[in-house]
Amino acid sequence: MSPQRPISVNNFKMGKPIVITRDGKTALPFEFTQYAGETGFVDALCVRTEDGFLILPRVPDVKKLYVEPTTVCNFACTTCIRNSWKDPLAHMEWPVFERILDSLPRLPRLKCVHFGGFGEPFSHPRLLDMLELVKSRGYRVEVITNGSLLNADVINKLIDIKLDMLFVSLDGPDEEEYCRIRQGADFQGVMGNIRLLQEIKRQRGVGFPELGIEFVATKDNYHKLPRLGELVVKLKARRMIVTNVLPYNEAMKEQILYDMEDTEIPFDYQSLLLMIQAQLPYMKLRTDRYCKFIEDKSMVINHRGLVSPCYALMHSYRCFIYGRAKEIRPFYLGDVKEQYLDEIWTDPAYINFRVAVKNFRFPSCTDCKFLEGCTMADDNEMDCWGNSPSCAECLWSRQIVACP
């Protein structure tokens, strides 16, 4: 038997040698100058590492903003973070939003602004003004809503604005399941609002805003996913996002589904893909970890104007990871009332945090053999590798929990 051909080393032949003089001067490779842009110079951050140092361009290359216009909501859902958080309910003040608007031209690669967070966006009295002002600047604009506050006037305004995508959160394909989770909500009313949206679009001869449906899967409603798929098609939705529940109270911690095989998804996923864009979560813990917010170059702004790297670090709350209570402390990298968004994004703290998360230099607490009795896993303040905050147990990074 002839010997096997060895694996090529070409994939590792990256980088170019440079010479650094005693006074610290050097000439960087030509490729690095692509970051110079119109300024003619490269603004970079030099970071010491165990093996040497990194040179990281300070580029305001944000592509997506998540804006939380309010934490007020007219529903009381059993799956909601409000069951455990300690933050006050309030709307984003208009001067805060104006500061966000002022920052947009300073983000040359920005493509999309998504209005969502942990409140009902349409509860904000000036949400439509927010959408119109951002859309008028040429960005893709998305909103997620519970659908209860839609009416003909609002829908026509959304069409006038040319809103790109409207996500409606539905946690049940029928009245019984929907009202069990969304206590006090009107299932038929929300369904009527969605149908009205599609009818007005038809009458006006437009395809926008596109409709997306989001569904939080629990043990009690998972068996109804086939009916949800049918409903999504009937409603002529363009996208469907299914996420696992992240329990925020004792009652919900028994509702997780994370230990089933992905192949147990109870409907014909491939057929569904032919009709809509369906995004489904992992149903069990897997090795790969990555942060959608970091990979997509996204930043999150809460209703107070405080900037977080992701949804999970926007607020202070308690959640349950595989039945074990965990206190989550917020992590803010800046405040739009004090800095422009490009200044926050290119701050050394934010750059270093993105590098750490992109490489996922965090332990895996969830399946660690020392988890039992480890108090460091009781909150996200610090892990055993010295990271603060710690993303070691983030279920978003495991693709178990998802968001638009």
Side-chain angles (χ1 to χ4, degrees), residues 30-93:
F30 174 80
E31 289 81 356
F32 200 84
T33 62
Q34 66 179 302
Y35 296 101
E38 297 179 358
T39 63
F41 65 89
V42 180
D43 187 7
L45 179 69
C46 186
V47 181
R48 286 291 301 269
T49 68
E50 292 182 1
D51 300 318
F53 53 85
L54 294 173
I55 298 178
L56 305 168
R58 298 179 64 193
V59 181
D61 54 351
V62 181
K63 293 184 178 179
K64 187 171 185 177
L65 289 182
Y66 288 86
V67 178
E68 180 182 63
T70 183
T71 54
V72 175
C73 186
N74 57 332
F75 280 9
C77 302
T78 59
T79 56
C80 186
I81 191 174
R82 280 179 196 72
N83 292 304
S84 71
W85 77 0
K86 305 173 179 65
D87 294 3
L89 303 182
H91 296 313
M92 177 178 284
E93 296 179 357

Side-chain angles (χ1 to χ4, degrees), residues 175-363:
E175 188 162 10
E176 177 186 8
E177 191 61 37
Y178 179 89
C179 293
R180 186 188 63 78
I181 295 174
R182 297 179 176 268
Q183 298 174 2
D186 179 5
F187 176 75
Q188 295 301 333
V190 171
M191 288 296 100
N193 292 344
I194 295 174
R195 294 188 181 98
L196 180 62
L197 166 72
Q198 301 296 53
E199 175 59 21
I200 293 177
K201 285 164 56 179
R202 185 192 67 78
Q203 292 175 0
R204 295 186 57 174
V206 298
F208 51 83
E210 290 186 323
L211 175 65
I213 300 296
E214 185 178 50
F215 179 85
V216 178
T218 68
K219 280 185 178 178
D220 286 346
N221 68 11
Y222 191 64
H223 66 285
K224 294 188 176 181
L225 264 177
R227 293 181 61 184
L228 176 71
E230 296 170 3
L231 179 62
V232 167
V233 173
K234 288 180 180 178
L235 292 174
K236 299 180 181 178
R238 184 70 183 89
R239 291 184 60 188
M240 181 180 78
I241 298 174
V242 177
T243 178
N244 277 294
V245 66
L246 178 59
Y248 296 110
N249 56 50
E250 291 275 355
M252 290 302 298
K253 70 180 186 180
E254 304 301 327
Q255 287 292 322
I256 65 171
L257 294 158
Y258 314 162
D259 287 327
M260 67 168 57
E261 293 291 338
D262 298 334
T263 53
E264 295 179 42
I265 295 172
F267 57 76
D268 188 350
Y269 179 45
Q270 296 300 325
S271 296
L272 196 62
L273 279 176
L274 297 176
M275 294 176 280
I276 61 173
Q277 295 177 9
Q279 176 183 325
L280 301 179
Y282 282 175
M283 301 308 295
K284 66 187 306 181
L285 210 64
R286 298 191 180 278
T287 303
D288 56 314
R289 292 188 289 175
Y290 86 101
C291 177
K292 181 179 185 295
F293 292 93
I294 298 298
E295 296 296 333
D296 292 350
K297 296 186 182 296
S298 303
M299 66 192 312
V300 179
I301 310 166
N302 77 3
H303 69 292
R304 292 187 291 161
L306 300 174
V307 175
S308 290
C310 62
Y311 270 171
L313 297 175
M314 285 177 73
H315 295 286
S316 174
Y317 57 93
R318 170 183 285 192
C319 63
F320 291 82
I321 308 294
Y322 284 88
R324 177 174 44 81
K326 190 179 188 78
E327 296 291 335
I328 302 298
R329 296 177 59 180
F331 179 56
Y332 303 127
L333 288 149
D335 186 336
V336 297
K337 298 185 294 295
E338 300 172 359
Q339 293 175 285
Y340 289 111
L341 291 176
D342 62 306
E343 295 172 334
I344 297 172
W345 181 260
T346 57
D347 185 86
Y350 208 155
I351 292 175
N352 283 310
F353 180 80
R354 291 198 300 273
V355 170
V357 176
K358 191 174 182 66
N359 294 322
F360 233 91
R361 300 168 183 163
F362 299 93

Side-chain angles (χ1 to χ4, degrees), residues 84-238:
S84 71
W85 77 0
K86 305 173 179 65
D87 294 3
L89 303 182
H91 296 313
M92 177 178 284
E93 296 179 357
W94 193 252
V96 174
F97 179 70
E98 288 182 321
R99 283 287 296 179
I100 296 173
L101 279 180
D102 291 342
S103 284
L104 299 186
R106 302 169 67 101
L107 302 174
R109 302 186 190 180
L110 181 65
K111 302 295 183 185
C112 178
V113 180
H114 178 97
F115 289 82
F118 295 109
E120 167 49 47
F122 285 94
S123 295
H124 195 292
R126 298 196 65 181
L127 177 73
L128 293 174
D129 294 332
M130 292 178 171
L131 302 179
E132 185 171 19
L133 286 167
V134 174
K135 186 61 184 176
S136 68
R137 284 157 171 76
Y139 301 105
R140 175 180 173 84
V141 180
E142 304 173 346
V143 187
I144 187 167
T145 174
N146 60 34
S148 65
L149 301 179
L150 298 176
N151 56 45
D153 290 340
V154 170
I155 291 168
N156 276 297
K157 183 64 175 178
L158 296 178
I159 294 173
D160 293 341
I161 292 170
K162 294 183 172 59
L163 180 73
D164 294 281
M165 175 67 74
L166 181 72
F167 290 97
V168 179
S169 183
L170 293 176
D171 293 335
D174 55 47
E175 188 162 10
E176 177 186 8
E177 191 61 37
Y178 179 89
C179 293
R180 186 188 63 78
I181 295 174
R182 297 179 176 268
Q183 298 174 2
D186 179 5
F187 176 75
Q188 295 301 333
V190 171
M191 288 296 100
N193 292 344
I194 295 174
R195 294 188 181 98
L196 180 62
L197 166 72
Q198 301 296 53
E199 175 59 21
I200 293 177
K201 285 164 56 179
R202 185 192 67 78
Q203 292 175 0
R204 295 186 57 174
V206 298
F208 51 83
E210 290 186 323
L211 175 65
I213 300 296
E214 185 178 50
F215 179 85
V216 178
T218 68
K219 280 185 178 178
D220 286 346
N221 68 11
Y222 191 64
H223 66 285
K224 294 188 176 181
L225 264 177
R227 293 181 61 184
L228 176 71
E230 296 170 3
L231 179 62
V232 167
V233 173
K234 288 180 180 178
L235 292 174
K236 299 180 181 178
R238 184 70 183 89

